[in-house]
Amino acid sequence: MILEESDDEGDTLLPWERSTEKEVVEDQRGGRKRTVKAPTLAELTIEDEELRRLRRMGMTLRDRINVPKAGVTGAVLEKIHHTWRKNELVRLKFHEVLAHDMRTGHEIVERRTGGLVIWRAGSVMVVYRGSNYEGPSSRSQFVNEEANALFVPDVSSDKPISKDSKSFNPVIENRSQVHPNRVLNMTEEEAEFNRVLDGLGPRFEDWWGTGVLPVDADLLPQTIPGYKTPFRLLPTGMRSRLTNAEMTNLRKIAKSLPCHFALGRNRNHQGLAAAIIKLWEKSLVVKIAVKRGIQNTNNKLMAEELKILTGGVLLLRNKYYIIFYRGKDFVPPTVAAALAERQELTKQIQDVEEKTRSGPAEVAPSTTDGQAVAGTLAEFYEAQARWGREISAEERERMLKEAAMAKTARVVKRLEHKYEISQAKKLKAEKLLAKIVESWIPAGPSDDLETITEEERVMLRKVGLRMKSYLPLGIRGVFDGVIENMHLHWKHRELVKLISKEKELAFVEETARLLEYESGGILVAIERVPKGYALIFYRGKNYRRPISLRPRNLLTKAKALKRRVALQRYEALSQHISELETTIEQTKREIGDFGKTDINTSNLEVLDQFNQLSESQSEDADSWLGSDDDGDEDLEWENDDDSEHSSLEDNETG
């Protein structure tokens, strides 16, 4: 029984508590399951006797090298090689982030140093240099003391980061020895990702993670002469803003991607912006890691400047990562250049046409046979003089009047169409409201109603107003959960105070009457308080708690909300229909007035203003009326769970 319980406990471990390095092996003799660790690289390459000797030597080591938050940097790597020149083992002590993820630290140390981790426990690790250790590159022997120190740039200033050209870092010289060896062990996706990053800039060799090395954004040029924000063009009919679902999907995509860049500088990111734009041609998002162990890094300043330089959409920003989406209006540089050239050409043509139109009219040269050039103003005048006829002032006024009347008639027709749609939606709202109210059977007044004297009413009113705990009445109104909470209050006290935020006193009085009938209590007072209207109920001297606290004749919490929404929709539609009727009558009356009077310039201006006002009202009606699909969703109210409970809310002021 003990073994079975232990196995069950092992199966219920959370994903981050399980070890991926362990394999479950079944013992053939006892049928038990035992956990076996996967062998490390040192256990596979070093003989057992030699491995035990090295581990015994590692236990006696007292000198250790501290690995900072930034990981195995160039300075740490130099200290490791300096120790390996004198001793075949080195002891490492990890801090901060890598101390909580020693498995990743194990991989980083073996990849950066080329040694073998023979033992690790907690945040301590012992690394063996190898039997054929030859040291770092030959030029590392001439490293001065200044190069051994960790270079920590001050990114709070705007001065460019530079180091002495004579100083030498063996880690940078050794990059060509590390990167090609790792390409052989990559998958096809990682190799493709690596090839994309190769054309963006130098890699960040002090990377504290695993996988493909990101591009070192601090080594990219700080400023680019003539850099401009990329040209953007949004496709027709597409919204520029991202929805919540699109934002979530893009963040999920970015979470599984390795980092493209590693950034430690707060400002001067034109080189990085150019690399990001180039990367966006093949990737929707770009993932930037904020370097660790660098002073005064500010991810907010980084994100703001990159957003201005690139015009992308910021998906995520924290102290570890900055993620940008290229945007729906992103255009590749080659296409953007062609579009910009076409727009510039179009603008020049428009400028020439505008200059020609605003200047004096020039007679186009005629041909030898006496006919004007096709498409010119001279040809129009010639055709007008030959076949056209002059329009009198009366005919012109009549044409203007007919055009104005036709335009107003179109507005009336559009308003009548809106009126018909609103009538259909109002009928639909009436049916939905009637269907919801079918399950609501309000109780009537009790035959044996208990009464209280005026002295008792005054005393109970004072006590009720001093009560700190109360029940809020929201937009749902009276439903079964409110009655249940009233009985729960009456279990410990004689009074219960409810606060309604309704503004009309008549509606509050109707709610109080309904609560009195449903709960069986006595309404003491309705008082105006800063939070709304306070309703005080007394349970009565002969109060007996009912068996079922939730009345079956009232609506549930979900159905009460749907009833309130349907009622609001019905009232809004009724108000909108009345406004449409008024607008239609006013428009028809204006048409009649304009039909009786003569048309002049002032009347036409007034009519145009009225048409514009009517069109704007119809457009506003379209924006808030909504689609017919909303009603179809509300018809599914019967499928909701009726077992929702209304919480008892007590607000304590001290």
Side-chain angles (χ1 to χ4, degrees), residues 500-560:
S500 175
K501 294 185 178 181
E502 295 292 340
K503 298 180 180 180
E504 298 182 2
L505 181 60
F507 188 83
V508 176
E509 291 177 351
E510 181 67 19
T511 304
R513 182 186 60 80
L514 183 60
L515 287 172
E516 186 178 13
Y517 293 163
E518 297 292 343
S519 64
I522 302 172
L523 178 61
V524 176
I526 301 176
E527 295 293 335
R528 180 69 178 177
V529 294
K531 294 183 179 180
Y533 284 96
L535 311 178
I536 302 173
F537 288 90
Y538 174 53
R539 70 180 182 182
K541 301 174 184 177
N542 301 326
Y543 171 73
R544 302 185 68 178
R545 189 178 182 183
I547 298 176
S548 177
L549 298 181
R550 285 175 174 252
R552 297 297 180 183
N553 59 327
L554 295 182
L555 299 177
T556 61
K557 185 177 181 180
K559 293 180 181 179

Side-chain angles (χ1 to χ4, degrees), residues 248-266:
T248 303
N249 292 334
L250 289 173
R251 285 174 179 170
K252 289 181 180 179
I253 293 173
K255 185 177 181 181
S256 60
L257 287 178
C259 291
H260 300 95
F261 300 94
L263 180 60
R265 190 171 58 223
N266 289 341

Side-chain angles (χ1 to χ4, degrees), residues 204-222:
F204 179 59
E205 293 295 337
D206 293 341
W207 177 240
W208 54 85
T210 59
V212 181
L213 296 179
V215 176
D216 193 347
D218 293 338
L219 299 181
L220 297 175
Q222 298 182 8

Side-chain angles (χ1 to χ4, degrees), residues 6 8 14 30 63 148 159 167 245-246 283 315 341 360 375 396 458 469 472 478 480 493 495 520 525 559 614 625:
S6 63
D8 294 340
L14 296 174
D63 297 335
N148 290 333
K159 297 180 180 180
S167 62
E246 291 173 343
S283 176
L315 296 179
E341 182 180 358
R396 184 178 181 83
V458 173
S469 59
V478 180
D480 55 359
R493 54 183 72 88
L495 295 176
K559 293 180 181 179
S614 302
L625 269 178

Side-chain angles (χ1 to χ4, degrees), residues 223-230 269-274 277 306 308-310:
T223 57
I224 298 178
Y227 177 84
K228 294 182 180 180
T229 304
H269 297 143
Q270 290 187 3
L272 175 59
I277 294 170
L306 287 175
I308 294 173
L309 292 175
T310 61

Side-chain angles (χ1 to χ4, degrees), residues 31-86:
R32 301 176 181 177
K33 292 182 180 180
R34 57 190 181 89
T35 304
V36 180
K37 283 186 178 181
T40 61
L41 184 60
E43 294 173 352
L44 294 175
T45 56
I46 303 177
E47 296 181 359
D48 294 343
E49 184 177 354
E50 179 68 12
L51 187 60
R52 285 193 294 269
R53 183 187 69 82
L54 293 173
R55 285 176 176 173
R56 284 195 299 268
M57 291 178 59
M59 296 296 179
T60 60
L61 291 177
R62 291 294 174 263
D63 297 335
R64 66 184 184 184
I65 299 174
N66 291 321
V67 180
K69 178 181 179 181
V72 185
T73 59
V76 175
L77 200 58
E78 275 300 302
K79 292 180 182 179
I80 292 174
H81 286 294
H82 181 72
T83 305
W84 274 347
R85 294 189 189 99
K86 303 176 182 178

